[in-house]
Amino acid sequence: TLAVAPAAPSRMDWLIEKAVEVGVDAILPLHAERSVRAGVGAARAARWARLAEAAARQARRRTVPALLDAASLAQVLSAFGGPALVADPDGRGSIAAAVRAWPAGVARVLVAIGPEGGWSPAEQGAAEAAGAVLCPLGPHILRVETAALVAVVLVQAAWEATGGPAA
């Protein structure tokens, strides 16, 4: 599941399309304290559904990923019930180490990408308290849509290296 604080509409359209192509099973818009975009309207959600369906067809996926209702990071983490990685340039974790630490049989994970303004200290604390691993994605600060794809691909590669499910 990719939970992402929405970016500009055209960038989110691109992100939805590419996330579906690389194998994300569900996409959830995040409400973050520093989000620039306040919400997701019905028209935008319908557009994302159409983009996800077209991208799934293009990628020859058997199913179209779910587009879930928006929620806060704390709500998502408490409801998810599985391993969670939160992309954070200040994080001290490692995606590869986090994936190696997952229990056998893990079938789904949460990857959370924050807003353009970054996570607030309260959100970082809530993520750590929920057991999420805060991980940087590299030495550079990435745009939301770039960070989302980089994180998903890094998780997939690390997961496949441990013998976990492929995308």
Short mmCIF file of all heavy atoms in Angstrom, two decimals, residues 98-153:
data_model
loop_
_atom_site.label_atom_id
_atom_site.label_comp_id
_atom_site.label_asym_id
_atom_site.label_seq_id
_atom_site.Cartn_x
_atom_site.Cartn_y
_atom_site.Cartn_z
N ALA A 98 15.19 -3.02 7.22
CA ALA A 98 13.79 -3.17 7.65
C ALA A 98 13.15 -4.38 6.98
O ALA A 98 12.46 -5.18 7.63
CB ALA A 98 13.00 -1.90 7.33
N VAL A 99 13.39 -4.53 5.69
CA VAL A 99 12.81 -5.66 4.96
C VAL A 99 13.36 -6.98 5.49
O VAL A 99 12.60 -7.94 5.68
CB VAL A 99 13.05 -5.51 3.44
CG1 VAL A 99 12.67 -6.77 2.69
CG2 VAL A 99 12.28 -4.31 2.90
N ARG A 100 14.65 -7.04 5.76
CA ARG A 100 15.24 -8.28 6.32
C ARG A 100 14.64 -8.63 7.67
O ARG A 100 14.59 -9.79 8.04
CB ARG A 100 16.76 -8.14 6.42
CG ARG A 100 17.48 -8.26 5.10
CD ARG A 100 18.99 -8.40 5.28
NE ARG A 100 19.59 -7.31 6.04
CZ ARG A 100 20.05 -6.18 5.53
NH1 ARG A 100 19.99 -5.96 4.23
NH2 ARG A 100 20.59 -5.26 6.30
N ALA A 101 14.18 -7.62 8.41
CA ALA A 101 13.63 -7.86 9.75
C ALA A 101 12.15 -8.26 9.74
O ALA A 101 11.62 -8.64 10.78
CB ALA A 101 13.81 -6.60 10.61
N TRP A 102 11.50 -8.19 8.59
CA TRP A 102 10.09 -8.56 8.54
C TRP A 102 9.92 -10.03 8.87
O TRP A 102 10.73 -10.86 8.47
CB TRP A 102 9.50 -8.30 7.17
CG TRP A 102 9.37 -6.86 6.81
CD1 TRP A 102 9.46 -5.78 7.66
CD2 TRP A 102 9.18 -6.32 5.51
NE1 TRP A 102 9.32 -4.62 6.95
CE2 TRP A 102 9.14 -4.91 5.64
CE3 TRP A 102 9.02 -6.88 4.26
CZ2 TRP A 102 8.95 -4.07 4.56
CZ3 TRP A 102 8.83 -6.05 3.17
CH2 TRP A 102 8.79 -4.65 3.32
N PRO A 103 8.84 -10.36 9.56
CA PRO A 103 8.59 -11.77 9.85
C PRO A 103 8.28 -12.56 8.58
O PRO A 103 7.80 -11.98 7.59
CB PRO A 103 7.38 -11.74 10.80
CG PRO A 103 6.77 -10.41 10.61
CD PRO A 103 7.83 -9.48 10.11
N ALA A 104 8.55 -13.83 8.62
CA ALA A 104 8.25 -14.69 7.47
C ALA A 104 6.76 -14.62 7.17
O ALA A 104 5.93 -14.51 8.07
CB ALA A 104 8.66 -16.12 7.77
N GLY A 105 6.43 -14.68 5.91
CA GLY A 105 5.03 -14.71 5.51
C GLY A 105 4.37 -13.35 5.34
O GLY A 105 3.18 -13.29 5.06
N VAL A 106 5.13 -12.28 5.50
CA VAL A 106 4.54 -10.96 5.30
C VAL A 106 4.06 -10.86 3.86
O VAL A 106 4.81 -11.17 2.92
CB VAL A 106 5.57 -9.84 5.60
CG1 VAL A 106 5.10 -8.50 5.08
CG2 VAL A 106 5.82 -9.76 7.09
N ALA A 107 2.83 -10.46 3.68
CA ALA A 107 2.27 -10.41 2.33
C ALA A 107 2.03 -8.98 1.84
O ALA A 107 1.85 -8.77 0.65
CB ALA A 107 0.94 -11.17 2.29
N ARG A 108 2.01 -8.02 2.77
CA ARG A 108 1.76 -6.64 2.34
C ARG A 108 2.47 -5.70 3.30
O ARG A 108 2.68 -6.02 4.47
CB ARG A 108 0.28 -6.33 2.27
CG ARG A 108 -0.42 -6.37 3.61
CD ARG A 108 -1.93 -6.23 3.46
NE ARG A 108 -2.48 -5.98 4.79
CZ ARG A 108 -3.15 -4.90 5.13
NH1 ARG A 108 -3.38 -3.97 4.25
NH2 ARG A 108 -3.60 -4.75 6.35
N VAL A 109 2.85 -4.55 2.76
CA VAL A 109 3.54 -3.54 3.55
C VAL A 109 2.98 -2.17 3.20
O VAL A 109 2.36 -1.98 2.16
CB VAL A 109 5.07 -3.55 3.29
CG1 VAL A 109 5.67 -4.88 3.70
CG2 VAL A 109 5.39 -3.23 1.86
N LEU A 110 3.23 -1.24 4.08
CA LEU A 110 2.83 0.14 3.87
C LEU A 110 4.07 0.97 3.61
O LEU A 110 5.06 0.87 4.35
CB LEU A 110 2.11 0.67 5.11
CG LEU A 110 1.75 2.16 5.08
CD1 LEU A 110 0.58 2.39 4.12
CD2 LEU A 110 1.40 2.66 6.47
N VAL A 111 4.03 1.77 2.57
CA VAL A 111 5.08 2.74 2.27
C VAL A 111 4.41 4.10 2.33
O VAL A 111 3.46 4.37 1.58
CB VAL A 111 5.70 2.49 0.89
CG1 VAL A 111 6.71 3.57 0.56
CG2 VAL A 111 6.35 1.11 0.83
N ALA A 112 4.88 4.97 3.23
CA ALA A 112 4.27 6.29 3.40
C ALA A 112 5.23 7.38 2.94
O ALA A 112 6.41 7.38 3.29
CB ALA A 112 3.90 6.51 4.86
N ILE A 113 4.68 8.29 2.14
CA ILE A 113 5.45 9.41 1.59
C ILE A 113 4.80 10.69 2.07
O ILE A 113 3.60 10.91 1.87
CB ILE A 113 5.44 9.37 0.05
CG1 ILE A 113 5.90 8.02 -0.48
CG2 ILE A 113 6.27 10.52 -0.52
CD1 ILE A 113 7.31 7.63 -0.12
N GLY A 114 5.60 11.55 2.66
CA GLY A 114 5.07 12.77 3.25
C GLY A 114 4.84 13.89 2.25
O GLY A 114 5.09 13.76 1.06
N PRO A 115 4.39 15.02 2.77
CA PRO A 115 4.07 16.17 1.93
C PRO A 115 5.32 16.93 1.51
O PRO A 115 6.42 16.68 2.00
CB PRO A 115 3.20 17.01 2.85
CG PRO A 115 3.75 16.73 4.21
CD PRO A 115 4.11 15.27 4.18
N GLU A 116 5.10 17.88 0.62
CA GLU A 116 6.20 18.72 0.15
C GLU A 116 6.93 19.41 1.30
O GLU A 116 8.13 19.62 1.22
CB GLU A 116 5.67 19.75 -0.84
CG GLU A 116 5.14 19.11 -2.11
CD GLU A 116 4.39 20.09 -3.01
OE1 GLU A 116 4.33 21.29 -2.70
OE2 GLU A 116 3.86 19.63 -4.03
N GLY A 117 6.23 19.72 2.37
CA GLY A 117 6.85 20.38 3.52
C GLY A 117 7.49 19.42 4.51
O GLY A 117 8.04 19.83 5.52
N GLY A 118 7.44 18.12 4.25
CA GLY A 118 8.03 17.13 5.14
C GLY A 118 7.10 16.78 6.30
O GLY A 118 6.06 17.41 6.52
N TRP A 119 7.44 15.73 7.01
CA TRP A 119 6.66 15.31 8.18
C TRP A 119 6.90 16.28 9.33
O TRP A 119 8.00 16.78 9.51
CB TRP A 119 7.09 13.91 8.64
CG TRP A 119 6.94 12.82 7.65
CD1 TRP A 119 7.94 12.13 7.03
CD2 TRP A 119 5.71 12.28 7.14
NE1 TRP A 119 7.40 11.20 6.18
CE2 TRP A 119 6.05 11.26 6.23
CE3 TRP A 119 4.37 12.55 7.37
CZ2 TRP A 119 5.09 10.53 5.54
CZ3 TRP A 119 3.41 11.82 6.69
CH2 TRP A 119 3.77 10.81 5.80
N SER A 120 5.89 16.49 10.14
CA SER A 120 6.06 17.28 11.35
C SER A 120 6.73 16.40 12.40
O SER A 120 6.69 15.17 12.31
CB SER A 120 4.70 17.76 11.87
OG SER A 120 3.98 16.66 12.41
N PRO A 121 7.34 17.00 13.43
CA PRO A 121 7.91 16.20 14.51
C PRO A 121 6.87 15.28 15.17
O PRO A 121 7.19 14.14 15.53
CB PRO A 121 8.44 17.24 15.49
CG PRO A 121 8.76 18.43 14.63
CD PRO A 121 7.68 18.42 13.58
N ALA A 122 5.64 15.75 15.28
CA ALA A 122 4.58 14.91 15.87
C ALA A 122 4.31 13.69 15.00
O ALA A 122 4.11 12.58 15.50
CB ALA A 122 3.31 15.73 16.06
N GLU A 123 4.29 13.88 13.67
CA GLU A 123 4.07 12.75 12.76
C GLU A 123 5.23 11.78 12.79
O GLU A 123 5.04 10.55 12.78
CB GLU A 123 3.82 13.26 11.34
CG GLU A 123 2.48 13.95 11.19
CD GLU A 123 2.34 14.74 9.91
OE1 GLU A 123 3.36 15.28 9.39
OE2 GLU A 123 1.21 14.83 9.41
N GLN A 124 6.45 12.29 12.87
CA GLN A 124 7.62 11.42 12.98
C GLN A 124 7.54 10.59 14.27
O GLN A 124 7.78 9.38 14.25
CB GLN A 124 8.91 12.24 12.97
CG GLN A 124 9.22 12.87 11.63
CD GLN A 124 10.36 13.88 11.71
OE1 GLN A 124 10.46 14.64 12.67
NE2 GLN A 124 11.20 13.88 10.69
N GLY A 125 7.17 11.24 15.36
CA GLY A 125 7.04 10.53 16.64
C GLY A 125 5.94 9.49 16.61
O GLY A 125 6.11 8.38 17.13
N ALA A 126 4.82 9.83 15.99
CA ALA A 126 3.71 8.88 15.90
C ALA A 126 4.10 7.68 15.06
O ALA A 126 3.73 6.54 15.38
CB ALA A 126 2.48 9.57 15.29
N ALA A 127 4.85 7.91 14.00
CA ALA A 127 5.30 6.80 13.15
C ALA A 127 6.22 5.87 13.92
O ALA A 127 6.05 4.64 13.89
CB ALA A 127 6.00 7.34 11.90
N GLU A 128 7.17 6.44 14.64
CA GLU A 128 8.08 5.61 15.43
C GLU A 128 7.32 4.87 16.53
O GLU A 128 7.57 3.69 16.77
CB GLU A 128 9.19 6.46 16.03
CG GLU A 128 10.20 6.91 14.98
CD GLU A 128 11.28 7.82 15.53
OE1 GLU A 128 11.03 8.54 16.53
OE2 GLU A 128 12.38 7.80 14.95
N ALA A 129 6.37 5.55 17.18
CA ALA A 129 5.59 4.90 18.24
C ALA A 129 4.75 3.74 17.70
O ALA A 129 4.49 2.77 18.41
CB ALA A 129 4.69 5.93 18.92
N ALA A 130 4.34 3.84 16.44
CA ALA A 130 3.54 2.78 15.82
C ALA A 130 4.41 1.64 15.30
O ALA A 130 3.89 0.66 14.77
CB ALA A 130 2.70 3.35 14.69
N GLY A 131 5.72 1.77 15.42
CA GLY A 131 6.62 0.71 14.97
C GLY A 131 7.08 0.84 13.53
O GLY A 131 7.73 -0.06 13.01
N ALA A 132 6.75 1.94 12.89
CA ALA A 132 7.20 2.16 11.52
C ALA A 132 8.69 2.47 11.52
O ALA A 132 9.22 3.03 12.48
CB ALA A 132 6.43 3.31 10.88
N VAL A 133 9.35 2.13 10.44
CA VAL A 133 10.75 2.45 10.28
C VAL A 133 10.85 3.69 9.42
O VAL A 133 10.30 3.73 8.30
CB VAL A 133 11.51 1.28 9.62
CG1 VAL A 133 12.97 1.64 9.40
CG2 VAL A 133 11.38 0.02 10.46
N LEU A 134 11.50 4.73 9.94
CA LEU A 134 11.70 5.96 9.18
C LEU A 134 13.01 5.85 8.41
O LEU A 134 14.07 5.65 9.01
CB LEU A 134 11.74 7.17 10.11
CG LEU A 134 10.37 7.73 10.53
CD1 LEU A 134 9.62 6.77 11.40
CD2 LEU A 134 10.51 9.06 11.19
N CYS A 135 12.92 5.91 7.08
CA CYS A 135 14.07 5.66 6.22
C CYS A 135 14.30 6.80 5.24
O CYS A 135 13.36 7.22 4.57
CB CYS A 135 13.83 4.41 5.38
SG CYS A 135 13.54 2.92 6.29
N PRO A 136 15.54 7.23 5.10
CA PRO A 136 15.84 8.15 4.01
C PRO A 136 15.86 7.37 2.70
O PRO A 136 16.05 6.15 2.69
CB PRO A 136 17.23 8.68 4.37
CG PRO A 136 17.83 7.62 5.22
CD PRO A 136 16.70 6.94 5.94
N LEU A 137 15.65 8.06 1.60
CA LEU A 137 15.65 7.42 0.28
C LEU A 137 16.93 7.70 -0.49
O LEU A 137 17.05 7.32 -1.64
CB LEU A 137 14.44 7.88 -0.53
CG LEU A 137 13.09 7.56 0.09
CD1 LEU A 137 11.96 8.12 -0.77
CD2 LEU A 137 12.92 6.07 0.31
N GLY A 138 17.87 8.34 0.15
CA GLY A 138 19.12 8.68 -0.50
C GLY A 138 19.58 10.04 -0.02
O GLY A 138 18.97 10.63 0.88
N PRO A 139 20.62 10.56 -0.62
CA PRO A 139 21.20 11.80 -0.13
C PRO A 139 20.47 13.07 -0.55
O PRO A 139 20.80 14.15 -0.07
CB PRO A 139 22.61 11.78 -0.75
CG PRO A 139 22.44 11.01 -2.02
CD PRO A 139 21.40 9.96 -1.70
N HIS A 140 19.48 12.96 -1.43
CA HIS A 140 18.81 14.16 -1.95
C HIS A 140 17.37 14.23 -1.47
O HIS A 140 16.75 13.22 -1.18
CB HIS A 140 18.84 14.16 -3.48
CG HIS A 140 20.22 13.99 -4.03
ND1 HIS A 140 21.19 14.96 -3.94
CD2 HIS A 140 20.81 12.94 -4.65
CE1 HIS A 140 22.31 14.52 -4.49
NE2 HIS A 140 22.11 13.29 -4.92
N ILE A 141 16.84 15.44 -1.44
CA ILE A 141 15.43 15.64 -1.13
C ILE A 141 14.66 15.49 -2.43
O ILE A 141 14.95 16.17 -3.41
CB ILE A 141 15.18 17.04 -0.52
CG1 ILE A 141 16.03 17.23 0.74
CG2 ILE A 141 13.70 17.25 -0.23
CD1 ILE A 141 15.75 16.26 1.87
N LEU A 142 13.70 14.59 -2.44
CA LEU A 142 12.95 14.26 -3.65
C LEU A 142 11.56 14.86 -3.62
O LEU A 142 10.98 15.02 -2.55
CB LEU A 142 12.85 12.74 -3.81
CG LEU A 142 14.16 11.97 -3.79
CD1 LEU A 142 13.89 10.47 -3.80
CD2 LEU A 142 15.04 12.38 -4.96
N ARG A 143 11.01 15.14 -4.78
CA ARG A 143 9.61 15.55 -4.87
C ARG A 143 8.74 14.36 -4.46
O ARG A 143 9.17 13.20 -4.53
CB ARG A 143 9.26 15.96 -6.30
CG ARG A 143 9.93 17.23 -6.73
CD ARG A 143 9.48 17.57 -8.12
NE ARG A 143 8.93 18.92 -8.06
CZ ARG A 143 8.44 19.56 -9.09
NH1 ARG A 143 8.39 18.98 -10.27
NH2 ARG A 143 7.99 20.77 -8.95
N VAL A 144 7.52 14.66 -4.08
CA VAL A 144 6.60 13.63 -3.60
C VAL A 144 6.49 12.47 -4.59
O VAL A 144 6.62 11.30 -4.22
CB VAL A 144 5.21 14.24 -3.30
CG1 VAL A 144 4.18 13.16 -3.03
CG2 VAL A 144 5.30 15.21 -2.13
N GLU A 145 6.24 12.78 -5.85
CA GLU A 145 6.01 11.71 -6.82
C GLU A 145 7.27 10.91 -7.09
O GLU A 145 7.22 9.69 -7.29
CB GLU A 145 5.41 12.27 -8.12
CG GLU A 145 6.32 13.12 -8.97
CD GLU A 145 6.41 14.59 -8.56
OE1 GLU A 145 6.00 14.95 -7.44
OE2 GLU A 145 6.88 15.39 -9.39
N THR A 146 8.43 11.55 -7.06
CA THR A 146 9.69 10.83 -7.24
C THR A 146 9.96 9.96 -6.02
O THR A 146 10.33 8.78 -6.16
CB THR A 146 10.85 11.83 -7.46
OG1 THR A 146 10.51 12.70 -8.53
CG2 THR A 146 12.14 11.10 -7.76
N ALA A 147 9.78 10.52 -4.84
CA ALA A 147 10.01 9.76 -3.61
C ALA A 147 9.12 8.52 -3.56
O ALA A 147 9.57 7.44 -3.14
CB ALA A 147 9.75 10.64 -2.39
N ALA A 148 7.88 8.65 -3.98
CA ALA A 148 6.96 7.51 -3.93
C ALA A 148 7.47 6.37 -4.78
O ALA A 148 7.50 5.21 -4.34
CB ALA A 148 5.57 7.95 -4.38
N LEU A 149 7.86 6.65 -6.01
CA LEU A 149 8.34 5.57 -6.89
C LEU A 149 9.67 5.01 -6.43
O LEU A 149 9.87 3.79 -6.46
CB LEU A 149 8.41 6.06 -8.33
CG LEU A 149 7.06 6.30 -8.97
CD1 LEU A 149 7.22 6.73 -10.42
CD2 LEU A 149 6.17 5.08 -8.90
N VAL A 150 10.57 5.86 -5.99
CA VAL A 150 11.86 5.38 -5.49
C VAL A 150 11.63 4.45 -4.30
O VAL A 150 12.19 3.34 -4.23
CB VAL A 150 12.79 6.56 -5.11
CG1 VAL A 150 13.98 6.09 -4.28
CG2 VAL A 150 13.25 7.29 -6.35
N ALA A 151 10.79 4.85 -3.37
CA ALA A 151 10.53 4.03 -2.18
C ALA A 151 9.92 2.69 -2.55
O ALA A 151 10.35 1.64 -2.05
CB ALA A 151 9.62 4.79 -1.21
N VAL A 152 8.93 2.71 -3.41
CA VAL A 152 8.27 1.46 -3.80
C VAL A 152 9.27 0.52 -4.47
O VAL A 152 9.33 -0.67 -4.14
CB VAL A 152 7.06 1.74 -4.71
CG1 VAL A 152 6.56 0.46 -5.38
CG2 VAL A 152 5.94 2.39 -3.92
N VAL A 153 10.07 1.03 -5.38
CA VAL A 153 11.02 0.18 -6.09
C VAL A 153 12.11 -0.34 -5.15
O VAL A 153 12.50 -1.51 -5.23
CB VAL A 153 11.61 0.94 -7.30
CG1 VAL A 153 12.77 0.18 -7.93
CG2 VAL A 153 10.52 1.18 -8.34
#
